[in-house]
Amino acid sequence: DTHKSVCIFGNSDRHDGSVEIEVSNDNTAWYELNNHYLPLDMATGDFGAQLDCSAKYIRLSRKNTGAGAEIISAIISAK
């Protein structure tokens, strides 16, 4: 695999904390990119970032520390 330019953006209905980026080459073993995270805009819940990545699979992870449900909408685009 070659490095791809990856753009990640979206919105959470909770406006605090951050969204973690996880990568995998087999869609089974997932690893957090410790040096990359997506801070949420405190006013809007929006987040976004662009990075170079050679992993075959990318997903977002969010720890829900609140008592209620959370809705996250996101797009991950690579080229």
Side-chain angles (χ1 to χ4, degrees):
D1 283 277
T2 60
H3 278 46
K4 299 178 242 0
S5 178
V6 178
C7 185
I8 302 171
F9 55 95
N11 181 274
S12 170
D13 66 346
R14 285 187 42 212
H15 300 178
D16 63 343
S18 62
V19 177
E20 288 79 31
I21 301 169
E22 296 180 344
V23 295
S24 173
N25 277 328
D26 61 8
N27 201 21
T28 299
W30 289 91
Y31 304 93
E32 183 179 335
L33 288 180
N34 290 329
N35 58 341
H36 289 84
Y37 64 95
L38 305 167
L40 296 174
D41 183 292
M42 299 293 258
T44 65
D46 292 343
F47 58 86
Q50 183 173 345
L51 62 132
D52 291 330
C53 184
S54 61
K56 189 172 183 179
Y57 301 95
I58 299 174
R59 72 180 183 187
L60 302 179
S61 175
R62 174 98 154 123
K63 292 172 182 57
N64 188 349
T65 58
E70 176 180 10
I71 298 171
I72 295 178
S73 301
I75 295 173
I76 301 174
S77 176
K79 73 175 195 175

